[in-house]
Amino acid sequence: MPSRRLSLRTLVAFLALPASALAQKPDGRLVGTVIDRSNSGPIGGATVVFLGDGRAITTDTTGVFRFDRLPVGILRFLIRAPGFPSFGLVVALARGEVLERRVELDSSVAAAIAAAAVPAKTDPTSRAQTLPMVSVEAAPSMGPRFANFERRRKTGAGQYVVREDIERGGYSTLQDVARGMRGVTVECGGGRGCYIRMVRAPMRCLPEYVIDDNVDNIFGPTMPVRDIEAMEVYTGPADVPGEYAGRNAGCGVIVIWTKSGPIRRKKN
């Protein structure tokens, strides 16, 4: 009868596992489709890499891929395909959850980059031509306190509003600022006034408010619009940045930057 005792090698390998691997059973799943944004056609043969453990799979001819046995939490993937720029995908996965995502790669961007890299053929007999001057303008920095806001705005994930947008729109409340944003709805009634909710969030699941980098779900929803200097809106876990990804990421996150900044307490 074979012995059921663990061998020394097996025991050593088990004890060498990190605590996170023993505590979290990988039981989530991600199913996705990779398509070309320019024609909505599937991209077969694209490589999808799970950055958590380096696993890589390839999409089939219909552009579909599937990752099983994924851990819970914020997961990051890298999608690559010949002729397309690489794309980073971030998802928040709960225990036993099956997520479906559609990834769009843009072939026109890669084509433009390739065309710019090819040197133009020149005629040695031609004369140099003077090109008209081009004015290049960039928005001025909002200051050191808004460095992270400006960094995230450059990524394109989320929706962003600054003081000039608020004044131009003539908004009078925080709900007016969010009204009309992509994936955002403003619901009124029930004796609670109006409140902001993300379209894809579960019922009665309200976004988390972060005021000057501090979570404040009491004052945040009633913040006077005159005090807002900038605002970030993330409608779900797919676009919430890592610094704000928490247990309420599925309900969305609204980040508000005030004119005065956070209150600094004096040291005794």
Side-chain angles (χ1 to χ4, degrees):
M1 181 176 181
S3 173
R4 296 186 177 181
R5 292 181 299 175
L6 291 174
S7 67
L8 179 59
R9 179 178 299 177
T10 302
L11 180 60
V12 171
F14 176 78
L15 294 177
L17 289 173
S20 59
L22 297 176
Q24 296 184 357
K25 180 182 178 182
D27 56 1
R29 180 183 303 166
L30 173 65
V31 180
T33 305
V34 182
I35 67 170
D36 187 341
R37 177 180 295 177
S38 62
N39 56 22
S40 298
I43 302 176
T47 302
V48 184
V49 182
F50 173 40
L51 299 181
D53 58 15
R55 280 186 288 163
I57 59 177
T58 304
T59 59
D60 60 19
T61 55
T62 63
V64 174
F65 66 90
R66 170 175 166 171
F67 265 103
D68 295 320
R69 298 184 58 77
L70 291 171
V72 300
I74 303 298
L75 309 181
R76 290 173 170 79
F77 299 82
L78 180 65
I79 296 93
R80 295 176 296 195
F84 295 87
S86 299
F87 180 85
L89 174 66
V90 181
V91 300
L93 190 65
R95 184 173 298 278
E97 185 178 12
V98 178
L99 286 179
E100 295 184 3
R101 290 289 184 270
R102 188 174 80 161
V103 177
E104 296 182 352
L105 303 183
D106 195 346
S107 59
S108 62
V109 174
I113 295 175
V118 177
K121 295 182 179 180
T122 58
D123 182 358
T125 61
S126 63
R127 296 182 179 179
Q129 297 182 354
T130 303
L131 299 177
M133 296 183 64
V134 177
S135 175
V136 179
E137 298 181 356
S141 172
M142 298 175 64
R145 189 164 72 88
F146 299 92
N148 289 331
F149 169 84
E150 294 178 330
R151 171 180 58 81
R152 288 189 291 267
R153 182 165 58 168
K154 291 178 181 178
T155 66
Q159 301 173 76
Y160 301 85
V161 175
V162 294
R163 165 54 47 185
E164 289 77 6
D165 301 322
I166 295 174
E167 295 176 349
R168 188 184 306 114
Y171 304 126
S172 57
T173 66
L174 176 64
Q175 288 75 19
D176 289 339
V177 179
R179 198 184 306 271
M181 284 187 172
R182 183 181 66 257
V184 179
T185 182
V186 177
E187 299 182 0
C188 302
R192 296 190 303 169
C194 298
Y195 58 93
I196 301 171
R197 191 173 69 83
M198 305 308 165
V199 173
R200 293 183 296 175
M203 292 297 295
R204 299 183 180 180
C205 182
L206 298 180
E208 185 161 76
Y209 286 83
V210 179
I211 312 299
D212 292 322
D213 270 343
N214 295 307
V215 176
D216 190 339
N217 292 320
I218 297 178
F219 181 60
T222 60
M223 167 72 69
V225 71
R226 65 177 179 274
D227 294 339
I228 299 176
E229 191 69 17
M231 188 168 79
E232 310 169 44
V233 177
Y234 303 99
T235 58
D239 57 357
V240 173
E243 52 264 55
Y244 299 128
R247 57 186 179 87
N248 292 329
C251 303
V253 177
I254 297 177
V255 182
I256 297 176
W257 299 84
T258 65
K259 292 182 178 179
S260 58
I263 298 176
R264 301 185 181 275
R265 301 183 182 276
K266 295 182 179 180
K267 296 182 179 180
N268 295 329

